[in-house]
Amino acid sequence: MTATTAASSKGRRGGARRHRSAGPLFVAPFMALFLLLFLAPLGYAAYLSLFQERLIGGTAFVGLDNYVRALGDPQLIHGVVRVALFFVIQVPLMLLLALLFALALDSGLLRFARVIRLGIFVPYAVPSVVAALMWGYLYGPDFGPFAQLSHDLHLPAPDFLSDSWMLGSLSNIVTWEFVGYNMIILYAALRTVPEELYEAAAVDGAGAWRIAWSIKLPALRPALMLTLLFSVIGSFQLFNEPKLLMSIAPDVISSSYTANLYAYTLAFTGQQVNYAATVSFLLGLVIVIVSYAVLLTANRRRTS
């Protein structure tokens, strides 16, 4: 082996080593932030959930006592059931609207499609706090536009903030906020479908409805699954909207109206940090179970 060949081989080995070490170096900043901002607080919360602050004796280790208490806590159970009902009501409607808007925009039959797409997406850019305050004004039984219109027509004002209407009112706010976000995900998935499939279907005599049913909807299954998982997480973490509407409907929305709101109240109002950490962990477990059930159901339908 000549000196030139040996130097070249040594240079290639050195370059390969540098390439192998480049990957971990690029990932290191993310991993550091992930450990610092996610895993470390999560671990600390798990540590707190194993203790209890007592009037006599101070903070004491109680093991799983907080979890046993939480599993029998009627306020937590009612909050979880309420957000589960919210999920059943709101998510199908939101995803159906997002799907219809995405299919309409992808059809190419709409005039000013870009303006329409932007108009549907804009509510997602509005902070949820602003959206809740705005809809709270619209829902107002004394000062909102619906109440004023009912007064002008000499009709009873609809009480959107009553106990029987509240869950639907919250669903409307969240749907208004997130239809555009889910529409963009579905629309982006539709744009990846090759045009040759549409052309071949048209040559075979398939119409617009047949193409949508046989080509577009099957292509959207992964994107629909993604939006459904996001919706599971978002629904069970419902917080901003009920928290803000609580000030104008305190008799309907209590401090335990949702599980997330209950954990917040325990930590920052009741100063029960240890029990709040326990409630948060159980809520996370519920989200994991529901998400896994959704994935398992989808996989079974795909393989059947």
Side-chain angles (χ1 to χ4, degrees):
M1 180 182 295
T2 63
T4 304
T5 304
S8 177
S9 177
K10 184 177 180 181
R12 284 196 297 270
R13 289 196 297 270
R17 284 196 296 269
R18 285 195 296 272
H19 286 153
R20 285 195 297 268
S21 63
L25 288 177
F26 279 116
V27 175
F30 166 77
M31 292 302 300
L33 292 176
F34 182 73
L35 292 171
L36 181 64
L37 301 179
F38 183 77
L39 292 184
L42 195 63
Y44 183 61
Y47 169 79
L48 288 177
S49 69
L50 301 177
F51 290 83
Q52 188 179 80
E53 189 172 349
R54 297 172 176 172
L55 293 176
I56 300 176
T59 302
F61 177 79
V62 295
L64 299 179
D65 287 357
N66 286 331
Y67 291 91
V68 175
R69 172 190 170 190
L71 291 175
D73 189 340
Q75 291 180 295
L76 175 60
I77 294 173
H78 291 161
V80 172
V81 171
R82 190 174 288 111
V83 293
L85 181 60
F86 171 86
F87 170 78
V88 172
I89 294 173
Q90 186 265 333
V91 170
L93 176 62
M94 178 183 65
L95 294 184
L96 178 61
L97 290 174
L99 176 62
L100 292 176
F101 288 143
L103 290 173
L105 290 171
D106 188 66
S107 68
L109 302 177
L110 294 180
R111 299 182 62 184
F112 310 109
R114 292 184 179 180
V115 176
I116 295 173
R117 185 174 67 219
L118 180 62
I120 298 172
F121 182 75
V122 159
Y124 176 70
V126 177
S128 59
V129 173
V130 176
L133 291 174
M134 180 187 71
W135 280 100
Y137 165 75
L138 295 176
Y139 290 152
D142 300 319
F143 48 80
F146 296 112
Q148 294 175 7
L149 180 61
S150 300
H151 177 73
D152 293 339
L153 297 176
H154 303 288
L155 296 174
D159 193 359
F160 294 112
L161 300 177
S162 64
D163 186 54
S164 57
W165 283 73
M166 180 56 72
L167 209 59
S169 299
L170 290 171
S171 299
N172 176 66
I173 297 174
V174 177
T175 300
W176 182 82
E177 289 178 297
F178 288 97
V179 161
Y181 172 77
N182 291 288
M183 178 206 68
I184 290 297
I185 294 176
L186 299 177
Y187 179 70
L190 284 173
R191 302 307 295 172
T192 63
V193 178
E195 289 291 336
E196 292 79 5
L197 289 178
Y198 300 146
E199 295 172 359
V203 169
D204 290 339
W209 290 105
R210 185 64 179 177
I211 291 174
W213 181 261
S214 301
I215 297 177
K216 293 185 177 182
L217 287 181
L220 283 176
R221 285 177 184 172
L224 282 171
M225 181 55 56
L226 179 66
T227 56
L228 182 58
L229 287 177
F230 286 166
S231 299
V232 169
I233 297 170
S235 297
F236 282 90
Q237 290 183 340
L238 184 65
F239 175 78
N240 285 335
E241 291 78 10
K243 174 63 176 175
L244 291 169
L245 292 184
M246 184 192 296
S247 59
I248 58 177
D251 296 332
V252 177
I253 299 180
S254 64
S255 59
S256 59
Y257 192 78
T258 68
N260 222 10
L261 185 58
Y262 184 43
Y264 171 86
T265 304
L266 287 171
F268 297 101
T269 302
Q271 300 300 315
Q272 301 181 52
V273 177
N274 304 100
Y275 189 52
T278 305
V279 170
S280 300
F281 259 86
L282 288 178
L283 178 59
L285 180 62
V286 170
I287 293 174
V288 170
I289 292 173
V290 175
S291 300
Y292 178 76
V294 169
L295 284 174
L296 186 62
T297 303
N299 290 333
R300 284 182 177 177
R301 288 183 177 178
R302 189 179 306 168
T303 56
S304 61

